[in-house]
Amino acid sequence: MLFSKGWYYFVKFTKFLSLILIILTIAIVLFLFKLFRAPSDIQTPTQLHPVVENYQDELIEQAKAKGIDIIITDDFRTIEVQDSLYKRGRTTEGNIVTNVKGGNSYHNYGLAIDFALKLNNGDVIWDLSYDGNNNGEADWMEVVEIAKELGFEWGGDWKSFKDYPHLQMDFGLSIWELKRGKRPEISYE
């Protein structure tokens, strides 16, 4: 009789403990879901960040001083436009131009620009070896060097999917943080 009473309480305690573990598991899953899900009420920017815009203008001026004319081919990009670019070469005609969907690009937060070289005749080129100022250095790489000095990160340095026209300033923020509403402070160095 003593054994069966002890067994009865052991089974009751085990069921109680199992219930507590189930409740804790559900609470943890809900917490993690809330933590990793981007809130839907966060406003994404609608234009290029003022600091990035300032350095973009500086990049254009410094390149011009070296005899290199550049054009900004893209800057702020909406999530819808990003999604459209992502579809290229996948579900729509054209070549793949990006590996990131809307909301996952620094362009979507006004923190990235794309550039190209502009020739005297008005043509726009993406030639990494072109030396239009005839100084023995590729104009593209001269622009990249200026951009890096200004604080831009260059997509050509990425280990995968090299994006040679891409320049960004992430201000130490990840896409994950940007999706959750964190924004860079506005400051000029």
Side-chain angles (χ1 to χ4, degrees):
M1 183 94 175
L2 182 61
F3 178 73
S4 65
K5 197 172 191 183
W7 184 252
Y8 170 79
Y9 287 119
F10 175 75
V11 170
K12 280 274 211 204
F13 177 73
T14 305
K15 286 183 179 180
F16 174 73
L17 194 57
S18 295
L19 182 63
I20 295 296
L21 287 174
I22 290 169
I23 292 170
L24 281 173
T25 302
I26 292 170
I28 289 169
V29 167
L30 289 174
F31 171 76
L32 291 174
F33 179 75
K34 187 173 181 178
L35 177 68
F36 288 105
R37 184 180 58 96
S40 59
D41 60 342
I42 290 180
Q43 295 275 329
T44 55
T46 57
Q47 61 189 22
L48 199 58
H49 189 282
V51 173
V52 177
E53 185 173 24
N54 182 54
Y55 285 118
Q56 167 194 271
D57 295 343
E58 184 65 28
L59 175 67
I60 293 168
E61 288 178 31
Q62 286 189 32
K64 189 78 153 167
K66 287 188 166 214
I68 305 168
D69 197 10
I70 65 169
I71 184 169
I72 303 304
T73 58
D74 210 355
D75 53 22
F76 170 78
R77 195 183 290 155
T78 65
I79 289 172
E80 294 77 22
V81 168
Q82 184 72 33
D83 281 336
S84 176
L85 288 174
Y86 181 79
K87 290 177 184 176
R88 270 196 209 162
R90 291 180 177 88
T91 59
T92 63
E93 293 276 328
N95 296 324
I96 291 176
V97 295
T98 185
N99 275 344
V100 294
K101 293 180 180 180
N104 294 311
S105 170
Y106 284 96
H107 283 284
N108 303 141
Y109 302 94
L111 303 177
I113 60 174
D114 292 340
F115 77 96
L117 303 175
K118 186 174 179 186
L119 304 180
N120 290 337
N121 67 3
D123 287 348
V124 176
I125 62 171
W126 288 263
D127 185 338
L128 275 62
S129 59
Y130 177 78
D131 181 18
N133 62 1
N134 297 312
N135 66 352
E137 295 180 53
D139 292 354
W140 195 277
M141 297 313 296
E142 288 184 80
V143 172
V144 167
E145 184 180 320
I146 296 166
K148 288 180 177 183
E149 288 172 3
L150 292 171
F152 283 101
E153 176 186 337
W154 179 44
D157 287 333
W158 296 343
K159 291 187 185 348
S160 65
F161 194 80
K162 305 244 182 222
D163 190 352
Y164 297 106
H166 184 87
L167 301 169
Q168 71 183 36
M169 290 185 167
D170 62 22
F171 299 90
L173 298 173
S174 67
I175 292 293
W176 188 87
E177 291 171 310
L178 292 166
K179 282 182 169 183
R180 281 149 188 80
K182 192 158 185 178
R183 299 291 180 259
E185 299 293 323
I186 298 177
S187 65
Y188 298 93
E189 294 180 17

